């Protein structure tokens, strides 16, 4: 065991330290953290609607929340909160990423956020193309003229019934009006594009700022005005470079926008790969490995946890709120998963089924210590760590026991989360529990957190409890073995 620990310290720890300190990855991690005020507000709104709009319908036949005073108003208010948060999460992230990346380079962070946001917006769709067919007679000439003046294309289509051979003439209305921002380009679907364009645009901006290619004003000018003017040339150059790229890309790709291309060729395949059990377990193993050496594993893996699984979670939340294929709530998410439009395993799935008590599921280690340990130092730390552990804060047990660089804890610290992850994954993929469709703050106690995260699925706490029992059984033998070891002086 000591030989293994020494090997990991020599070869793995330096790599982990470099990853944890790389400024671009730190900026990306901080960008996701920076969006939390908005995304959590939107998630709370969706969660409240899940409880008062969707949950009662599972037990009360004919439940209609829209007809109940106060309830219907609360649902409407939560809808407005969602409009300004989850529905435009991509815009919020774009600004946060640009802000943090510019700060990492030591240049105007506010301007960096604006540049990143502008770079994303310039390449999204400014129209909402859609076509509908309406049987003639349902719309009069005046209504059609209004639609045509708004930019819609009016045509006719004749449909023949294969049985009766009766022909019916439909009016075809194709909406091509300009000035409608496509919501699917503003929400979580924009994350990957925001990362790419935000990275390029802000790097260009930062390099020009560092080379002092700026407008310099006299010292008598107020600092706020001087900073704004100094950012004009770098920001303009950066945004023009992105605009030239968007122009030629769109023309070369027969009108396809870069954001749509990224979604089809990068985001979807990457997120599809992330849904495999092997990928999920690998991510969990990497988190644990970093933590063992005292490096915040979830922070180091944040670009994947938040960039891939976090985006998947935002899409699930969006589908849960908007509905899909005529269904609402969890049924909508399940239908969307079948069509490849939503995801079975997301960021919150780790919290719900693996990270009870913190990374590694350490609440079960604390329980094993309180039941089986005969060491005074372990018992003292266990008692002190129990309170924070109930709220998924495990630094006291992580560094107080410690788990970090503690050879006897290495195997269970890696194995227990893998087992609990597999249990949660298999239960979700088998349909035994609803997929996570809500973002619940990580300090919500175990068992309650999975209940809320799955849209109030009563089976989720049971699955989480089974995972906790399994990890308890893994931790217990090592806690008992530690009784035979003398505490270091």
């Amino acid at each position: 065991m000591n030989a293994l620990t020494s090997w990991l310290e020599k070869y793995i720890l330096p790599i982990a330290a470099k990853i944890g300190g790389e400024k671009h990855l730190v900026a990306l991690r901080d960008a996701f953290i920076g969006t939390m005020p908005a995304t959590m507000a939107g998630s709370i709104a969706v969660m409240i609607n899940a409880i008062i709009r969707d949950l009662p319908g599972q037990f009360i036949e004919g439940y209609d929340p829209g007809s109940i005073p106060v309830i219907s108003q609360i649902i409407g208010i939560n809808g407005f909160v969602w409009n300004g948060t989850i529905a435009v999460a991509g815009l919020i992230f774009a600004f946060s990423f640009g802000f943090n990346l510019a700060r990492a380079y030591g240049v105007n962070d506010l301007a960096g956020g604006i540049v990143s946001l502008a770079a994303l917006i310039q390449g999204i769709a400014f129209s909402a193309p859609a076509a509908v067919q309406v049987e003639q007679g349902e719309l009069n000439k005046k209504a059609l003229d209004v639609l045509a003046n708004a930019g819609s294309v009016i045509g006719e289509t004749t449909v023949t019934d294969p049985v009766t051979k009766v022909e019916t003439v439909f009016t075809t209305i194709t909406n091509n009006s300009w000035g409608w921002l496509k919501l699917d380009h503003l929400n979580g679907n924009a994350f990957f594009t925001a990362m790419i364009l935000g990275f390029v645009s802000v790097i260009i901006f930062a390099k020009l700022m560092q080379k002092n290619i700026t407008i310099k004003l006299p010292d008598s000018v107020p600092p706020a005005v001087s900073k704004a003017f100094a950012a004009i040339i770098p920001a303009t150059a950066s945004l023009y470079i992105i605009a030239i790229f968007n122009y030629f890309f769109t023309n070369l790709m027969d009108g396809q926008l870069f954001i749509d291309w990224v979604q089809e060729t990068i985001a979807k395949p990457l997120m599809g790969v992330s849904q495999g059990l092997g990928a999920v377990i690998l991510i969990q193993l990497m988190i644990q490995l970093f933590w063992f050496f005292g490096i915040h594993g979830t922070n180091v893996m944040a670009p994947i946890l938040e960039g891939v699984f976090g985006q998947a979670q935002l899409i699930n939340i969006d589908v849960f709120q908007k509905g899909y294929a005529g269904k609402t709530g969890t049924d909508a998410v399940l239908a969307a998963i079948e069509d490849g439009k939503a995801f079975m395993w997301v960021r919150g799935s780790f919290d719900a089924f693996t990270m009870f008590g913190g990374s590694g599921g350490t609440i079960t280690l604390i329980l094993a210590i309180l039941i089986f340990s005969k060491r005074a130092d372990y018992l003292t730390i266990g008692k002190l760590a129990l309170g924070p552990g109930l709220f998924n804060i495990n630094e006291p047990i992580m560094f107080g026991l410690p788990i970090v660089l503690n050879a006897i804890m290495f195997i269970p610290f890696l194995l227990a989360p893998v087992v609990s992850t597999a249990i949660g994954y298999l239960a979700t993929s088998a349909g035994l529990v609803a997929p996570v469709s809500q973002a619940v703050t990580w300090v919500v106690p175990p068992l309650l957190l999975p209940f809320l995260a799955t849209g109030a699925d009563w089976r989720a706490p049971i699955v989480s409890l089974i995972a906790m029992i399994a990890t308890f059984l893994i931790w217990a033998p090592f806690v008992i073995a530690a009784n035979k070891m003398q505490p270091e002086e």
Side-chain angles (χ1 to χ4, degrees):
M1 184 64 73
N2 289 333
L4 176 61
T5 302
S6 298
W7 183 86
L8 292 170
E9 287 178 356
K10 182 177 180 180
Y11 295 103
I12 302 299
L13 185 56
I15 298 174
K18 288 182 179 179
I19 293 174
E22 209 287 318
K23 67 180 180 180
H24 300 94
L25 294 179
V26 170
L28 183 60
R29 179 201 68 198
D30 292 345
F32 285 114
I33 295 172
T35 65
M36 285 186 64
T39 55
M40 287 306 302
S43 300
I44 289 170
V46 174
M47 186 168 61
I48 292 173
N49 276 1
I51 294 172
I52 65 175
R53 184 191 65 187
D54 304 296
L55 179 61
Q58 299 180 25
F59 305 100
I60 305 173
E61 186 175 353
Y63 177 75
D64 181 15
S67 63
I68 303 174
V70 180
I71 295 294
S72 61
Q73 282 75 31
I74 293 174
I75 292 172
I77 292 170
N78 286 333
F80 278 105
V81 175
W82 173 83
N83 289 344
T85 53
I86 303 299
V88 292
L91 296 184
I92 297 169
F93 169 76
F95 178 84
S96 181
F97 183 41
F99 182 95
N100 283 284
L101 189 57
R103 174 170 286 186
Y105 274 87
V107 298
N108 188 332
D109 46 19
L110 178 60
I114 293 171
V115 167
S116 178
L117 179 61
L120 173 66
I121 291 179
Q122 67 169 250
I124 66 176
F126 273 70
S127 62
V132 294
Q133 288 185 341
V134 182
E135 189 172 348
Q136 284 191 344
E138 294 184 18
L139 290 176
N140 57 33
K141 180 67 169 56
K142 185 175 181 180
L144 294 175
D145 288 342
V146 171
L147 291 170
N149 291 333
S152 298
V153 177
I154 311 299
E156 289 186 356
T157 301
T158 301
V159 177
T160 303
D161 189 293
V163 178
T164 64
K165 306 300 181 183
V166 175
E167 293 186 348
T168 304
V169 179
F170 289 90
T171 297
T172 303
I173 307 165
T174 304
N175 174 34
N176 286 323
S177 55
W178 186 89
W180 296 86
L181 298 182
K182 187 176 181 180
L183 197 60
D184 280 345
H185 286 174
L186 307 178
N187 57 18
N189 288 325
F191 273 37
F192 283 98
T193 305
M195 290 180 205
I196 298 169
L197 296 184
F199 180 84
V200 174
S201 62
V202 175
I203 293 295
I204 295 171
F205 167 78
K207 293 297 184 181
L208 293 175
M209 288 287 290
Q210 290 176 339
K211 291 182 179 296
N212 289 320
I213 304 176
T214 61
I215 297 174
K216 297 177 177 61
L217 298 179
D219 293 339
S220 58
V221 175
V225 177
S226 181
K227 285 181 64 177
F229 269 82
I232 289 176
I233 292 177
T236 302
S238 173
L239 292 176
Y240 259 95
I241 290 172
I242 299 298
I244 291 170
F245 165 77
N246 278 322
Y247 177 82
F248 283 103
F249 183 92
T250 303
N251 280 275
L252 290 173
M253 299 297 290
D254 296 325
Q256 184 182 32
L257 294 172
F258 180 65
I259 189 171
D260 290 325
W261 180 85
V262 168
Q263 192 63 26
E264 290 294 328
T265 61
I266 299 178
K268 284 186 178 179
L270 182 58
M271 295 179 74
V273 170
S274 74
Q275 294 300 291
L277 177 60
V280 171
I281 287 178
L282 178 61
I283 296 301
Q284 188 62 58
L285 271 174
M286 294 302 296
I287 293 171
Q288 300 309 117
L289 191 60
F290 286 133
W291 262 120
F292 182 75
F293 289 101
I295 298 172
H296 201 299
T298 47
N299 280 354
V300 174
M301 299 302 294
I304 297 176
L305 281 175
E306 306 297 342
V308 177
F309 294 101
Q311 180 183 353
Q313 179 163 302
L314 289 174
I315 291 171
N316 279 14
I317 295 171
D318 198 40
V319 171
F320 189 97
Q321 172 68 15
K322 291 193 303 185
Y324 180 83
K327 299 179 181 179
T328 60
T330 297
D331 290 338
V333 176
L334 291 172
I337 289 174
E338 289 184 6
D339 293 343
K341 303 295 185 182
F343 299 90
M344 186 269 296
W345 190 269
V346 299
R347 175 63 184 87
S349 303
F350 290 99
D351 294 325
F353 303 116
T354 299
M355 297 185 182
F356 30 77
S359 294
T362 49
I363 191 67
T364 54
L365 167 61
I366 296 172
L367 294 175
I369 288 172
L370 296 178
I371 295 172
F372 296 114
S373 182
K374 297 178 180 179
R375 290 179 52 163
D377 57 335
Y378 273 35
L379 287 170
T380 300
I381 295 299
K383 292 173 183 177
L384 292 174
L386 180 60
L390 291 174
F391 297 93
N392 305 315
I393 301 168
N394 68 348
E395 278 76 5
I397 194 76
M398 193 73 73
F399 298 103
L401 193 63
I403 296 174
V404 171
L405 295 177
N406 186 342
I408 197 171
M409 294 297 170
F410 178 73
I411 292 176
F413 189 60
L414 265 63
L415 180 59
V418 168
V419 171
S420 59
T421 299
I423 290 172
Y425 180 95
L426 294 173
T428 306
S429 61
L432 301 177
V433 64
V436 169
S437 59
Q438 317 293 319
V440 183
T441 182
W442 60 275
V443 294
V444 172
L447 302 184
L448 177 59
L449 190 152
F451 175 74
L452 297 175
T454 54
D457 186 343
W458 59 270
R459 299 169 298 177
I462 297 175
V463 173
S464 185
L465 181 60
I466 292 171
M468 291 173 69
I469 293 171
T471 59
F472 175 84
L473 295 175
I474 293 172
W475 280 113
F478 291 88
V479 171
I480 294 171
N483 291 334
K484 301 177 183 178
M485 300 173 61
Q486 296 295 323
E488 296 181 5
E489 297 294 336

